[in-house]
Structures are given as C-alpha cells and as structure tokens.
Amino acid sequence: MLGKMEATKWQGKYDVVVVGGGPAGMGAALGARDSGAERILVVDREAEAGGILLQCIHSGFGLHYFKEELTGPEYAERFLKRVLDSNVDVFSNAYVSGVATDSSGIKQVRVMNEKMGVQAIETRSVVLAMGCRERTRGSIRIPGTRPSGIYTAGLAQKFVNMHGYLPGKRIVILGSGDIGLIMARRLALEGCEVKGVFEILPYSNGLTRNIVQCLDDFGIPLHLSTTVARIHGRDRIEKVTVAPVGPGLQPDLSRSWDIDCDTLLLSIGLIPENELSQGLGLALDPVTSGPVVSSTLETSMPGLFACGNVLHVHDLVDFVTQEALLAGRFAGEWAQGVRRPRDNIKLTAGQNVRYCVPQTLAPGREHTIYMRCKEPMKPCVLKVGDLMEKKLRFVVPAEMITLKIKPDLLERFRGDSLEINILPAVGGGSSEEE
Amino acid sequence: MNHHSSRYDVAIVGGGVVGCAIARELSRFELKTVVIEKEAEVGFGTTKSNSGIIHAGHQSPAGTLKGTLEVRGNRMYDRLCEELGFGFSRIGELVVAMVPEDLAVLDELKKLGESRGVPGLEIWDKARLHREEPNLAKNLLGALYAPTAGVINPYEFVFSLIESALANGVTLEIDSPVEKIDTDNHGLTLHTPHKSIQSRFVLNCAGVFADRIAQMAGVGDFSIRPRKGEEYMLDKRLKGLVRRLIFPVPQKTTKGTLIIPTFDGTIMVGPTACDVDDREDLATTYEGSDEIFNFVRRLCPSIGERDTITEFAGLRAVSSTNDFIIGPTKIKGFINVAGIQSPGLTASPAIAEYVVEILKKEGLSLIPKKNFLTHVKGPARFALQHLEAQKELIQKDPRFARVICRCELVTEAEIHEAIDHGARTLDGIKFRSRAGMGRCQGGFCTSRCIDILSKRLNCPPTAITKRGGGSWVIKEMDS
Ligand SMILES: Cc1cc2nc3c(=O)[nH]c(=O)nc-3n(C[C@H](O)[C@H](O)[C@H](O)COP(=O)(O)OP(=O)(O)OC[C@H]3O[C@@H](n4cnc5c(N)ncnc54)[C@H](O)[C@@H]3O)c2cc1C
Ligand SMILES: Cc1cc2nc3c(=O)[nH]c(=O)nc-3n(C[C@H](O)[C@H](O)[C@H](O)COP(=O)(O)OP(=O)(O)OC[C@H]3O[C@@H](n4cnc5c(N)ncnc54)[C@H](O)[C@@H]3O)c2cc1C
C-alpha cells in the first residue's frame, strides 16, 4: 500500500506541514525539500496518498511534466516514490480538522487519527493542498423530485473505479466537464447506455481531446445550449425533461423532450475545498473560491501557502505539480526564516479574463501566471498591461492559460496595478502556431 | 412472508411525528401497541420535510383545535428535549411589518396570542428591530417578537420518539402499507402485504393518506387535499445572517415565506403553498424557487439562489374542515387523527395527550407502567464537542477518529450509532447523523456509508437504498 506511515514514527515538530497528499501536496513536499527545509510532513485523510488521481485510471497524465502519457495512479506513484525517497513523512488516514496560528507565527495543525486521537502538530509553515469538491444538484437548481440515482460524476467514478459497481445502466450526463466526459466513455465501455451529454452553454467545459476521445469515438451525442429542466421518479430516477435554453440560459419548455434513464450524472464544475480556508478566515477570491495568494503563493495569513485545486481548479495535473513545487519552495524558505518584501503590483482580470492567480506580483523574480478566459476566442492576443503581449491561436474556458513573466519585465513598470486582457487579434491570420 | 396475525390494544397507522408521539405516550401504560408504517423508516412522510418550527401559538386562527393544541404543544418541548435529546432551541420569532397596514396586524396577533396564553410577546419598533437583526431589509417597519418560538430537527425528534416507544415495549412494522381494513364484532383487522394485524383500537395517523385509510374503514366523511410547500436550504456560509425566525404577517393560506435559522445554524427559506392533486408530488419547481427568493429578498436583501445547497418539498395534509380532525367515528374503535397540517409538528405532543384522553373515554383502561423509561440517549455529535471531550471519545472508541462526512465532520462511530438506533437506509443515516447533509451533499461519504451499512445489515452493497422501496443506489457490473 502506498504511503502508509506508522503513528510512532512521526516527530512532534515540523518545518512544513502539507495538508493533503494529492499531486499538489506531494509537489509541495518536494518543493519544500528542494528549498532545504528539513522536517516535512504530508497529511492525508485517505488510506493512501495520491488524491483524486487514484480514481482516474484512464491515461492522460504527465504529458507536460514527464513527456509521456501515464494513468492517474502511475503519476501519483512516481511522485510518492520521490516523496518517500526524500525522507518526507507521509501520514495517511489522518484528517486535518483545523489550523491555528499564535502571535509568534508558529502554527498548530490539528490532526485526527485512529491510533493517535486528536493531536496538534506544531509547524513553522503550512501548505494547503486539499483539492476540490464537485458542485451538486443544489447549486444549479433542477426542479423535480428527489429520487436516488443522481450523482456527481466523480462519485460515479469512485463507484466504478474504486469499488467495482455501476451507478446505473441508462445514463444521462448533465454538464460537459472533463470528469463527465471521462465517465461517459467509462460507462459506455462497461455496457451502459449513455444517452447523451447536455451542456447549458454554447460550448463545452471539457478539454477538446476528451470530447473527441470520450464522446465522438463512442457515438455519444453532445447537446450544447441544452439543460435538464426537470427530474422525474419517486424512488429511483425514471426520466428527465431536457430543454434548449434561450437568452439568459432560461430553459424553453415549449421545445423540451423527455429521456428515460435510471441515472443522472452531474459534471457541472468543481469548487476548491475551502472548509479549512474559511475556518482560518483567509481572504478568498470570489471568482476562484480559493484563497487570494501573493506571487509566493502565500495566502493572506503569513506562513500559510496554497496550491493545486484548493487554490483554483486546474484541468491538467502537470500544472498542479508545477505550481505546487513553487508553493513548497516558498513555504520551505519561510520556515527557514526568509522574509520577502510584500508584492507591490496588483494583477487584475480585464477583458475576457475570468481570473488570474496569483493576484499580486513583485518585480525582480520570474512568475507564472495562471488564468482562465470567460469565453472562447480565436485568434487572440493576451496583453499584460502595456508591458507585453502574446498571440494565441485560441482560448477556451476549459483550458487554463499559463504565462511566464521574465524577471526584468516588471523592472521598468512604475504603476501599482496591471490589467490582463484577452482581445481579438487584429488583422486575423497572424496567429501563432501551437 | 408467512401470514400470521397478532392482536393489539392499539394499532397506529402511520409513523409520522403524530403516530410516534402517540406511540410514546401510550408506552407509559400497560398496553400492546403497534405502529404500522408503509415506508422503510418512520418520519419519511411529511415529518421530515417541513420548516422545523415550534410555533409560539399566536398565528393560528382563533377558535380552532389546531390553535389550542399548538400553544399546549409548544410548552412541552423543554421537557421532551431534555428526555429525548433531539436538536431544539427557542431562538424566538419576529413577525415583521413590511407596509404600514401590517403594523395593526401585529397588534391583533399580539392580542390573539395573549388570549391563548402565549408568553412574552412584545412589539418592537423599527430601531429595535434593526439593532437586533441588522441584516434585514432597512425598510421593514417593526415586528412582533415571540420569545417562545423555536426550531427543531424534526427527523431527530421523530426518531427519538419511536426509539423511546420501542424501548418501552411498542412494536414497529415498517415497509407495511395498510391496504384493507376489516371491521367486525371482534374488532378491527388491518391488512398489509405480509401481515394481518388485529387491534381493539385503530388510530388513523396516515398524514396525506388519512382520508384513504378512513375510507377503508368505511368512514369517509372528510377529504384531504395535499398542499405542497417547497423549502430551500442555504450554505452554512450564511450562518448568523439572522438570529431569529423571520415571518411576514400571515398570508391568506399560510404563514407566508419565512427565513429559518435551523437548529444546526444553516439558513433555510420557504415554504411555498400550492394545492396539488398527486399525494406523492414532492417535486420542486422553477415557480416555487422564484416565488421564494423574490419574496425573501424583500425581507433580507443579501439572500440569493446561488447559496442554495439543496431543496425539498413536503405536503401539508389539509382537511376539508381546514382544522385537525381528531376523534372517534361511527366505527367502534376507529379513531381519526387526521388533517394534521401545520402546526402539526408543534402540536404533536399535545395531540398525543389529547388522543390518550379520547381512548380513555372510549373505554381503554390505562394502567401506568412502573418501569417506564423516560430518557433515551441522544447522538454523540463529535463535531460539536470541545477538544478534550473529542479526545475522550476517541480514547473510548477509535472509530471517532475516522471521518466519514467531511462537510459536517461526522465520524464512523456516529454512523454505527445511527444504525444501532434503527437506520436502515442512506437517508436514515443522514437524518440521524448528518452525514451527507452538508455542502457536498454526499459526494464524499456516500460510498463509505454504503460500505458500513452493507456490512452491518449483512447484505450486498447493491441492496442498500436511499430511502427504501425502489430507491436502489448502485448495481452490479455485468462482467
Ligand atoms: C476525474 C478527473 C479526471 C482528471 N483527468 C485528468 C487528466 O486526464 N489529465 C490531467 O493531467 N489531469 C486530470 N485531472 C486533473 C488533476 O488530476 C487534478 O487537477 C489534480 O489531481 C489536483 O490535485 P490536488 O492535489 O490539488 O487535489 P487532489 O488530487 O484532490 O488531492 C487532495 C488531497 O487532499 C486530501 N485532503 C483534503 N482535505 C483534507 C483534510 N482536511 N485532511 C487531510 N487530507 C485532506 C484529499 O483526501 C486528497 O487526497 C483530472 C481530475 C479529475 C477529478
Ligand atoms: C412545507 C411544510 C412546512 C411545515 N412547517 C411546519 C412547522 O414549521 N411547524 C409545524 O409545527 N408544522 C409544520 N408543518 C406541518 C407538519 O410537518 C405536519 O403537520 C406533521 O409532520 C404531520 O405529521 P403526521 O405524522 O401527521 O404526518 P406524516 O409525517 O406524513 O406521517 C404520516 C405517515 O403515515 C404513513 N402512511 C400513509 N399511508 C399509510 C398506509 N396506508 N399504511 C401505513 N402507513 C401509511 C406515511 O408513510 C407517513 O409516514 C409543515 C408542513 C409542510 C408540508
């Protein structure tokens, strides 16, 4: 079994404690190790470290980072091996129920575990890497009854891949997020009848490669600008009414039709797992729902860092790892007493930019900015204030945009706020190759 | 199933809050009592789907039985809560005036309440109202304050009632719809798909189906029309937005759309009131949610649809007399406890005492038990304990350190406890332990709960249901 640790082995005090042992948590631990921090602990509530990757048995992980296509568990295993080889403590079956800080900045991480009860672990810095959760029926208001058979796509994935059961046989999928697309294929392969994927927006929320490989290749229809307008059935779901949406995304019931099914999967978005972040009173970004962070991925509480899906929802694990290595490095440096001047440039989302992370920058260092657009656009130009622009062949909300900023770029900048805009490319045609 | 029959003194048809409150009351006496419920667990009818308010008693119309029993019921909750350990808190209620004409209505309600003996009613002026509840709409003009109104977790209440009744010798038959009733000289015989049950007295506590049960006994002189109410539960992020129950002045058919700070601190808004024909129509609607949120925003502008974590609907059993129908019928031994619409939850313990009086008048001899157990043990509620108490719990039972529900911090020990106390379905676990009630709505805990439940019930995971009947959860893979 991966990453099991005996309760007796762990030490009372740490330099860096990482909450969550998914790719973000493991990346942060490695980053902290690289920085020279000595005592590092990763805590995860599951029996094994690896996070959501463990239930993603399809391949498609690591293309950017390892330059090869791995399955989720393979990607996790490679990292876990590195983590354990670097002498990081990994504590599984342990639930972090709170984090507190005292006036000197020392932090207490409250951990629950069967063998040890409730314990407060002392540490200099903390990295939050708790991942995300799925949006549910309640968050989008689908009228109708409340039968069984309505699941988030991730829960269905867990049933199938971790426990070997089917969520049902005749499936309708609402929302075209990646997990829904992956599950459409998975269930089709298991002999289920996947009746279609319905997406309220005029474009999909999943990666293009997933639309092709998971729907097109299996003849599963994708209905854009269409939603589930009613759920029927007393005990178990029996059918759904679907309807095209008009302006304001209101369903047009006059053009609705019914589909018999015994299961409705929801793939309607992910939200950072912000229970702990809220408990700590961290400043949260209303758009990402994750904490606001500086260019060192530090939250509004000094010495507390965040990375991965708990910060903002990523589509590719490679970028989670990239971000986590950085967060870990800064957390490790913090633990060793490094204090940097506060960022003095605020980054704001301008035209067709939904959000950007981090929310502030400092001159003199290299930065990676992660962002998402609001609407698809092609070809287009990404502009950082008047400092730089980059041509992009296309942008879609499903695919995160990353932008590297060179250390010298900000040296010439005198303002205190930079706006990022994505604008249509003038003159067309001049688009950069992929 | 084999057909055998048993003979009881009292058979209660319907294990809602009314049936269960009566069962517990009867369990004080040397009697053979049975509760017959068609669903997989008690309380799965209207009892789990309501606003959870213990009304003060100033709202029901004058001269009604429901008004009288409401006030009487309210007074009984402190003792019941102490004995049964369900979630209950007298947070108080404010009926707010939205337009100048409402101010006069507040005075009338106060007079009505006082005439019924509702204690502590006060009129608050605008300044006081906004000082005490700063998040309410600034244009509200004043309020009637009723300190004895409270909130309750209705499902915990009904589960603790049946548990107490069972501990004191009552029998419970679940998954047992009464389909036919024979009346002859020997008494009454109730037929369910797998049993026939004979009883000297039958109490018709079947909620929205009570008119059907009455017809089975041949006393169909009233009808029930379901009146649907939709409710929307908001994220606990809004905890503390209002501290008391917020009511508008009463509307034509209902008490209006309310803001309800539930016992667990989440804010709920609702209910609607819409007459429906189908007695199983528990569907929420676009119209319902629009109506609720548009209205509630006028009471508290910062509430919005986007904070909804779940919604549900319940059916009020509105009788043709628009009041409770409680009493004997022309069929000897057959007693109606019907039309128990709102405030039926509030009134239920008073209804129970009232029904026991009727049984006595009808000739049932009531010999008090010597060893009646007054108390049942409430749930452990790990999440609400202080650090030291948590440590102690884990020391006693390490399963308290295994988190099953992350949103509400429910531990494995509490899931087992829920099963010990009668949970047989995922909803049964949810309503007893709160696992699956939080913002992820079971995304995290469902597979764990299935696992535990199937081990405990000694059945395959595919046999586990959400709430009994055909509400299966997972299927076997083909290969
Ligand atoms: C179904 C699915 C399919 C995907 N497909 C691909 C793909 O094909 N290719 C690709 O590159 N990327 C893919 N991704 C994206 C990528 O896997 C995720 O972005 C990445 O796993 C996020 O990493 P994380 O560490 O932030 O979160 P997670 O992997 O969710 O890890 C968080 C960890 O924190 C633990 N935790 C949370 N709270 C606590 C607490 N209080 N105490 C202790 N532990 C806690 C959790 O148990 C979990 O182990 C997919 C994601 C999903 C969900
Ligand atoms: C939206 C809404 C909000 C409300 N808010 C409040 C409030 O805040 N405060 C308050 O005091 N009251 C409130 N009420 C009213 C309150 O919920 C009801 O008065 C109360 O729950 C009625 O309980 P009951 O036991 O009569 O009915 P139920 O809980 O419906 O019980 C009847 C039982 O009979 C069973 N049954 C039916 N037919 C058969 C059969 N043939 N065989 C066997 N069993 C059968 C059913 O399955 C059910 O379990 C509200 C009601 C609604 C709908």
Side-chain angles (χ1 to χ4, degrees), chain B residues 54-65:
Chain B
I54 300 307
H55 295 288
H58 53 280
Q59 296 231 17
S60 297
T64 55
L65 180 58

Side-chain angles (χ1 to χ4, degrees), chain A residues 114 141 146 151 236 275, chain B residues 289 402 439 467 472-473:
Chain A
E114 208 178 328
R141 164 161 97 131
R146 249 149 304 283
Y151 306 110
R236 178 79 189 190
E275 222 91 278
Chain B
S289 89
R402 277 194 230 140
R439 45 169 72 135
R467 53 164 170 264
W472 55 275
V473 183

Side-chain angles (χ1 to χ4, degrees), chain A residues 241-259:
Chain A
T241 302
V242 296
V245 295
L249 303 182
Q250 285 303 311
D252 176 0
L253 295 172
S254 69
R255 294 193 290 146
S256 68
W257 73 100
D258 288 354
I259 301 178

Side-chain angles (χ1 to χ4, degrees), chain A residues 46 95 114 118 133 136 138 141 143-144 146 148 151 165-166 169 230 234-236 251 273 275 278, chain B residues 39 280 282-284 286 289-290 309 311 391 402 406 439-440 448 461 467 470-473 475 478:
Chain A
E46 299 290 338
Y95 183 91
E114 208 178 328
V118 203
R133 66 188 145 89
T136 64
R141 164 161 97 131
R146 249 149 304 283
S148 72
Y151 306 110
Y165 290 99
L166 296 177
K169 291 279 172 90
R230 194 169 174 103
R234 179 188 191 263
D235 289 352
R236 178 79 189 190
E273 179 85 281
E275 222 91 278
Q278 277 177 345
Chain B
E39 300 293 328
E280 303 206 331
L282 292 172
T284 51
Y286 285 121
S289 89
D290 286 346
I309 60 163
E311 64 264 309
K391 283 183 174 166
R402 277 194 230 140
R406 63 178 172 194
R439 45 169 72 135
C440 94
R448 292 152 209 258
R467 53 164 170 264
S471 65
W472 55 275
V473 183
K475 275 231 182 308
D478 283 335

